[in-house]
Amino acid sequence: MDVHELRQDIDRWAHDLGFDQVGVTDTDLSNVSQDYREWLRQGFHGEMSYMNRNIKKRVAPHELLPGTVRVISARMNYLTFPAPTEISDPTKAYVSRYALGRDYHKVVRRRLAKIARKMVDKAGGTHRAFVDSAPVLEKPLAVKAGLGWVGKNTLVLNSQAGSYFFLGEIFTDIPLPMSQETAVAQCGSCKACLVKCPTDAFVAPGKLDARKCISYLTIELKGSIPIELRPKVGNRIFGCDDCQLICPWNRFASSTTIQDFEPRHHLEDVSIIDLLEWNESTFREKTEGMAIKRVNYSQWVRNLAVAAGNSTYSVKLEKVLVEKRTEMENRNDSNVVEHINWALCQLLAETQNR
């Protein structure tokens, strides 16, 4: 078997399947192990207990899949239309760009699995695809594979593609030639992402306190969003893109060719009121096959309540909130009821201050 020829085949297969860049690295992550453990020790992972499990496998890929000697790291652009630079309309609900279409876990992993099968057919061996679904430190692996550098906003940045892309990996026991070039960090003195963060979630350049991050608050957190952070969440109901929207490197972001990532149900431009009118059945139907299913209906309504409280008062908005409160009271969902009550108080206070 010619590993150099196989590497070229992998690049070609990946391109044909919609990937925008592929790199190969070894399994040595000793340079990030201490930093990752310290991040956990400080509790910055919040309620994401899974990040504190299988640490040995995270920092040593060959422990996760015995026999692994190389990691193929691939990136796939997901931007389907120009991202705004500001979230300006408080009556609209903002969903993070990555979650507007089909669930990326399914799209990216299915295509990586096809590459893995082609590798088996051509060279045998053991290969396994991962997409944010196992204890894998994908960002350090992507950096080592030459796909970019970790910016001050903790995202992988690429000088030709910005940061609007998904990452996925194939662990393999074939000693493929490794990528020779690694990207040099090019954030320089720029602090735009750190300043722009609505909740000041960055405790230092490249270090995120997830407990204050809006993506964590609207997706990972199951309980109550802290009252002091609610006004800062604004109208973001699933994730947050602020540190990407402001990043100068995203001027070079390219649109995707993957139709699966096209927005569904007009979620790229939808009002808070329209989404509050969804019942649980509608929520389940509309979000089927989307990353939004990461949250349950209770979290969805909770997030919309916070967005409504940060919106502009209207008689209709008050009406749908009161109706939604009755629905959640009938479900004995006291947590969401409390968020709706908070929203109503915010809106009524706004009318009084006019």
Side-chain angles (χ1 to χ4, degrees):
M1 178 186 61
D2 186 334
V3 292
H4 293 277
E5 179 183 325
L6 179 59
R7 172 64 197 278
Q8 292 177 348
D9 287 336
I10 292 170
D11 286 341
R12 176 170 50 82
W13 296 332
H15 179 269
D16 291 345
L17 287 166
F19 289 96
D20 295 282
Q21 188 179 2
V22 173
V24 178
T25 184
D26 58 27
T27 64
D28 182 11
L29 291 178
S30 57
N31 62 319
V32 300
S33 176
Q34 184 175 346
D35 287 344
Y36 182 70
R37 294 174 190 272
E38 178 61 19
W39 183 78
L40 291 171
R41 189 194 67 77
Q42 294 183 66
F44 290 147
H45 60 303
E47 294 182 6
M48 296 183 288
S49 58
Y50 60 87
M51 301 194 77
N52 205 17
R53 297 193 295 266
N54 298 308
I55 296 177
K56 187 175 182 181
K57 293 180 179 179
R58 287 184 186 275
V59 300
H62 55 276
E63 295 284 347
L64 178 59
L65 183 64
T68 298
V69 296
R70 294 288 186 270
V71 176
I72 301 167
S73 180
R75 67 172 182 84
M76 179 182 286
N77 296 338
Y78 64 77
L79 204 60
T80 55
F81 57 95
T85 55
E86 292 286 344
I87 304 174
S88 55
D89 188 342
T91 69
K92 297 292 181 68
Y94 188 87
V95 175
S96 188
R97 304 296 89 175
Y98 81 86
L100 290 170
R102 181 169 171 78
D103 188 347
Y104 70 94
H105 297 87
K106 299 177 180 179
V107 177
V108 180
R109 190 182 185 284
R110 183 176 67 243
R111 296 175 187 230
L112 285 175
K114 288 183 178 180
I115 296 174
R117 287 195 294 271
K118 289 177 179 291
M119 292 174 67
V120 171
D121 292 342
K122 174 148 190 169
T126 300
H127 325 288
R128 184 176 172 187
F130 299 96
V131 180
D132 198 20
S133 57
V136 177
L137 292 181
E138 61 179 11
K139 288 186 283 188
L141 288 168
V143 171
K144 287 196 67 177
L147 271 56
W149 72 92
V150 174
K152 294 177 183 178
N153 61 3
T154 74
L155 300 176
V156 176
L157 303 180
N158 183 289
S159 61
Q160 297 179 329
S163 61
Y164 292 109
F165 50 78
F166 298 121
L167 295 172
E169 301 78 38
I170 298 175
F171 287 18
T172 177
D173 58 359
I174 294 178
L176 295 164
M178 294 192 293
S179 302
Q180 296 302 308
E181 295 185 7
T182 56
V184 177
Q186 299 182 56
C187 290
S189 60
C190 179
K191 296 182 180 179
C193 59
L194 308 182
V195 175
K196 184 67 173 177
C197 179
T199 56
D200 296 319
F202 296 105
V203 296
K207 183 174 289 188
L208 176 73
D209 183 348
R211 297 169 298 183
K212 297 175 66 178
C213 176
I214 293 175
S215 288
Y216 170 85
L217 295 171
T218 57
I219 301 173
E220 301 290 347
L221 184 66
K222 306 303 181 186
S224 176
I225 295 177
I227 290 179
E228 67 274 14
L229 293 179
R230 293 178 195 178
K232 300 178 180 181
V233 172
N235 58 342
R236 303 162 188 83
I237 64 165
F238 188 93
C240 178
D241 288 329
D242 281 38
C243 65
Q244 297 193 90
L245 297 177
I246 198 67
C247 178
W249 287 109
N250 274 321
R251 291 176 297 181
F252 305 106
S254 300
S255 297
T256 183
T257 60
I258 308 299
Q259 291 297 310
D260 277 334
F261 296 148
E262 289 290 337
R264 298 182 174 187
H265 314 301
H266 306 291
L267 285 173
E268 79 281 14
D269 185 23
V270 65
S271 73
I272 295 168
I273 289 176
D274 286 345
L275 295 184
L276 279 169
E277 291 179 331
W278 288 8
N279 58 26
E280 183 170 12
S281 177
T282 303
F283 168 74
R284 291 180 179 276
E285 175 188 346
K286 297 283 191 182
T287 59
E288 184 63 34
M290 300 179 70
I292 293 175
K293 284 296 281 286
R294 182 77 176 270
V295 300
N296 57 38
Y297 180 63
S298 178
Q299 290 173 277
W300 177 253
V301 178
R302 176 202 65 184
N303 296 346
L304 284 167
V306 172
N310 294 320
S311 186
T312 302
Y313 176 84
S314 71
V315 172
K316 186 172 184 180
L317 179 56
E318 180 182 3
K319 179 177 180 289
V320 296
L321 278 172
V322 170
E323 291 173 347
K324 188 61 66 174
R325 179 173 63 185
T326 299
E327 175 192 339
M328 304 313 286
E329 285 174 340
N330 291 335
R331 295 166 60 100
N332 294 317
D333 196 331
S334 59
N335 180 48
V336 177
V337 169
E338 185 273 320
H339 284 75
I340 294 175
N341 285 335
W342 175 86
L344 288 167
C345 287
Q346 295 291 110
L347 291 170
L348 293 175
E350 177 199 331
T351 63
Q352 293 169 2
N353 291 331
R354 286 178 179 175

